[in-house]
Amino acid sequence: MSILANRDTQVVIIGGVAGLNAARRMAQFDFLINRPLSVKAFVYPPEEGQQKEIYRGGELKNVPVYSSLEDALAENPGINTALIYIGANRAYQAAKEALEASSIKLVSMITEGVPEKDAKRLRKLAIEAGKLFNGPSSIGIMSAGECRLGVIGGEFKNLKLCNLYRSGSFGVITKSGGLSNEAMWLCAQNGNGITTAVAIGGDAYPGTDFVTYLEMFEKDPETKAVVIVGEVGGTLEDEAAEWLAAEKRRIRLVATIGGTCQEVLPQGMKFGHAGAKEGKKGVGSARAKMNALRDAGALVPDTFGGLSKCIKQVYEELLADGSIKPEPEIDEALLPELPLKVQEIMKQGEVIVEPLIRTTISDDRGEEPRYVGYAASELCEKGYGIEDVLSLLWSKKLPSREESEIIKRIIMISADHGPAVSGAFGAIIGACAGIDLPQAVSAGMTMIGPRFGGAVTNAGKYFKYGVKEYPNDIAGFLSWMKQNVGPVPGIGHRVKSVKNPDKRVKYLVDYVKNHTSLHTPCLDYALEVEKITTSKKDNLILNVDGTIGCILVDLDFPEQSLNGFFVLARTIGMIGHWIDQTTQGSKLIRLYDYLINYAVKEEREVPVKK
Amino acid sequence: MAKILEGPAMKLFNKWGIPVPNYVVIMDPNRLEQLGEANKWLRESKLVVKAHEAIGGRFKLGLVKLGLNLEEAVAASREMIGREIGTAVIRQVIVAEMLEHDEEYYLCINGNRDGAEVLLSNRGGVDIEENWDTVRRLFIPIDENPSVERLTEFAGEAGFTGEIAERVGKIVSRLVLCFDNEDAQSIEINPLVIRKSDMRFAALDAVMNVDYDARFRHADWDFKPVSEIGRPFTEAELQIMEIDARIKGSVKFVEVPGGEIALLTAGGGASVFYSDAVVARGGTIANYAEYSGDPSDWAVEALTETVCALPNIKHIIVGGAIANFTDVKATFNGIINGFRESKSKGYLENVKIWVRRGGPNENQGLAAIRKLQDEGFDIHVYDRSMPMTDIVDLALNS
């Protein structure tokens, strides 16, 4: 048994991220004692319509967020408890609405820094409505084996250490949140654990008081004793003493009061909770409270350190008079363990997870990116350039100085070919339509294909094939190509010919062959092919795609990487075109009618749909 | 809880129609001379000059001067402004009209759990303690402000008669309005005086506390709460307060000069029990400190360095209950860095450190702080199995 919260308790949390964290802690407890999720709904207007992910053990649950309490309650009629986590300036309104909702019986407020007047009003409202307003500044309420409201009880491990998975015989009432946890631990260590622990908050005017809960504990047959952790200031402890003395009580009372130090401190010096302040003439002093409680029959240690002994003493007396039976030892191993996250289990080496992807080129898990093992900054420091990084990432090799130079030149001469070609034109139309750089450049990029710039890979691929399968047999190669592929990729140009050669091709071939020591079997083969094809038709020259493809094959780049050079190079150009157009403030392009042949049907009437 | 100075209190009284004497708050004595040219009352009334600072016992310190003319008031402010009292410097004085009066009354309102209580006596002034049996009390439930008629009746119960009772009833009514609307916690007016010749009332001296948590709904609150510890805050205290205002969770620090046991404790409740334990064992605390609500590690680090810099300390108690959600590993990280930094600055010579804590990530946090032993710290670390305040006993018995 318990007070305030039990297995039937269903909760709405009003507030944002702090409330979500609390809900996750509460779900851990739900998992420990094997009950359904206690949090049914959140109310937080900024996140209306979202679903919050909460793990109950290994099970992922989704809890809806509503913009109003009314909506949350309409869809979740079982909710009887509200936890307020919203900021101090909105906490009053939220708690008021909750207290006014007929199905809600208990409102507990964690929010700190709530104006005293607001707390007083809420207390009054709750009393008038026959409900409970716990807090403000309350860490929450814990009913062992039944329900956890808030983060009270701390981490999962602590829930077990404090035996909170099953009911004991001690009730706990504290002002402080941290000490509610400490008191639960002491009850588990020196007794058989708790029934319910409630933190009422350390504000000057909490919504409830010790007596409210003492009455409830008195009526709860499982609670045999109550531990109160009080402090200097206010009258709640004195009222508890009066309650105890008023008539014979079933429950035993143990109480410890903080703040005796104020007797020796300079006058007016106060610290601790807002409510921990001594009034004039010693009213509310810790000593006076301790005496009142002792006189009323409570067990009151001189200091907090003596609390353990008092709890133990009461527990042993209760055992001796048969009020409680010794608790059978529970095998801790039978209690569930919170499922670990995959990363945690992997660290312990107890699980194998098949990777989703595999990379062989780069790794940025360390302090900086590494390309095929080389630190980026070290490459910079040692004089390597972008063409070396490209080589590492595309073919996993560091090129020689000569090779780098070739790569660099290939990119330089391919970077742009004026605005008229498909790629640049696509990017320009995009820029004129006002779209952003990445989208406009992508528009140009989509043009790269069989008719525009996309022949590099295939040219390299087939000339390489020829070198291997038809060495010294160009005719054989050409006839194989005719049969199996069609026109030879990398051969032929729309405007250039033997008489009007492509200067880029001339330059590249000359540079590679006469200014470097690169061995060029593929390029040589292609030039041989060109001799044959140009003898048939003047414009069947080795074009720039073919030249680049062959050189790259000779540089030992993987076949599938070859188009990348054109893509990379032209990206530079297309970005340039986008910047150029937007800097000029170019207008939207629309084709003139006279540029279009409207080969369409005559105007006609739409028939009735059948 | 926030005590406010007389100036801001007077401003709020004015706002709610509670009669106050003419007054000005000044930082520059020359300004008072100019104000004298502009205001007849400064030239023609007897004046009182008071240091406008949170300093207790101002009378004894000569920080209240009575019955002055303007020239004397200028001289008195010149003398007070810039004076050093302990660690504080007087920066402002309040100059008010000393109303010639016939009678002195006592009027006070205190908040309580169910609303507020008004205290009224027609025998106010410095002797109010002796005349405490003349004080009449009226309970005002929250949100149920009494009518002026009822309050006039109440004034009658306190011995006021005729027109004075009516006027006092009205003043009480305005006091209740001011209390309620300004989120006040207490207002004590002593004395409330009357000059019968023209039936002029004035609150000559007042102490007001407001609920600073309610400042979000008071756009015109242009004041900061003043120290309530009987002295102005020290530099270190102000520094921690400034951090406290900026972070989630909280860090608190109050110096107690002359103590030998420094506290670096967690939690508003537990920290008080640690202070109690020191006092109960005959020790003397050098400070009060508290961190809670899972504050950032840098805030805890700053608090740690402040505690380490306290003079003549012999022990530091790094205590705390078993935390609910304050991450022990993260907050201890701040403490560890603070200790290291302090040691490198030459602090912590011959200081013993005692640690007891539990809560989220307690094992990692305690293991990390225990490692300070290897760096030459005299540190003793205990987990939850050590009763919470027993490290104080260990420290004092060592």
Side-chain angles (χ1 to χ4, degrees), chain A residues 25 88-90 92 110 112-118 120-121 123-124 127-128 139 148 151-155 157-158 161-162 176-182 184-186 189 204-206 208-209 229-232 235-236 239 256-262 264-274 276-277 280-281 286 302-306 308, chain B residues 1 106 110-116 129 132 141-144 179-185 188 211 213-217 228-231 237 249-250 252 254-257 263 267-273 275-277 279-281 283 285 287-288 290 292-293 320-325 356 358-363 384-390:
Chain A
R25 291 288 176 112
N89 56 345
R90 285 172 295 165
Y92 171 77
I110 186 115
E112 295 188 336
V114 174
E116 287 175 4
K117 187 160 88 173
D118 298 4
K120 290 192 211 178
R121 280 181 166 162
R123 177 172 177 272
K124 188 181 176 196
I127 291 170
E128 284 167 0
I139 193 78
R148 174 190 203 176
V151 300
I152 184 169
E155 65 179 344
K157 188 181 81 176
N158 188 60
L161 287 171
C162 294
S176 149
L179 292 176
S180 69
N181 209 11
E182 189 72 26
M184 292 195 292
W185 163 246
L186 292 178
Q189 284 273 289
Y205 303 116
T208 49
D209 47 40
V229 182
E231 61 192 19
V232 59
T235 56
L236 303 193
E239 289 161 21
T256 178
I257 311 291
T260 49
C261 62
Q262 303 218 345
V264 300
L265 288 176
Q267 227 213 335
M269 186 168 280
K270 61 141 198 142
F271 40 67
H273 293 126
K277 56 182 189 240
K280 271 186 186 161
K281 301 179 188 113
D302 286 330
T303 61
F304 193 87
S308 315
Chain B
M1 192 78 171
Y106 175 83
N110 288 318
N112 60 32
R113 184 164 44 171
D114 301 302
E129 299 278 331
W132 200 245
I142 189 154
D143 291 335
E144 290 177 35
F179 176 87
D180 191 31
N181 285 289
E182 296 295 339
D183 278 287
Q185 293 166 316
E188 186 183 50
D211 182 356
D213 282 334
R215 64 188 177 278
F216 64 82
R217 57 187 174 214
E228 289 164 71
I229 51 181
R231 58 162 172 83
E237 287 166 349
S250 75
K252 304 253 184 289
V254 180
E255 284 178 48
V256 184
L263 297 174
S271 55
V272 172
F273 279 105
S275 313
D276 288 354
V279 171
R281 299 276 171 250
I285 59 170
N287 73 304
Y288 168 78
E290 183 254 342
S292 57
I322 299 163
N324 289 293
F325 66 100
R356 187 276 185 185
N361 294 323
E362 56 190 22
N363 291 344
R384 60 165 70 211
S385 60
M386 167 66 66
M388 192 176 91
T389 53
D390 281 14

Side-chain angles (χ1 to χ4, degrees), chain A residues 148-204:
Chain A
R148 174 190 203 176
L149 299 176
V151 300
I152 184 169
E155 65 179 344
F156 190 75
K157 188 181 81 176
N158 188 60
L159 302 178
K160 290 185 184 179
L161 287 171
C162 294
N163 297 349
L164 296 173
Y165 47 85
R166 56 119 182 97
S167 183
S169 304
F170 288 81
V172 170
I173 318 171
T174 69
K175 284 183 176 169
S176 149
L179 292 176
S180 69
N181 209 11
E182 189 72 26
M184 292 195 292
W185 163 246
L186 292 178
C187 288
Q189 284 273 289
N190 302 290
N192 62 350
I194 65 148
T195 50
T196 295
V198 46
I200 67 174
D203 284 11

Side-chain angles (χ1 to χ4, degrees), chain B residues 30-43 70:
Chain B
N30 299 331
R31 185 70 43 79
L32 184 58
E33 282 178 336
Q34 290 170 10
L35 280 163
E37 285 167 31
N39 292 282
K40 195 170 149 201
W41 67 267
L42 276 167
R43 295 192 303 273
L70 181 59

Side-chain angles (χ1 to χ4, degrees), chain A residues 109-147:
Chain A
M109 184 183 281
I110 186 115
T111 312
E112 295 188 336
V114 174
E116 287 175 4
K117 187 160 88 173
D118 298 4
K120 290 192 211 178
R121 280 181 166 162
L122 290 169
R123 177 172 177 272
K124 188 181 176 196
L125 254 166
I127 291 170
E128 284 167 0
K131 298 179 177 185
L132 278 173
F133 171 63
N134 189 61
S137 308
S138 164
I139 193 78
I141 296 164
M142 166 64 79
S143 284
E146 300 273 342
C147 183

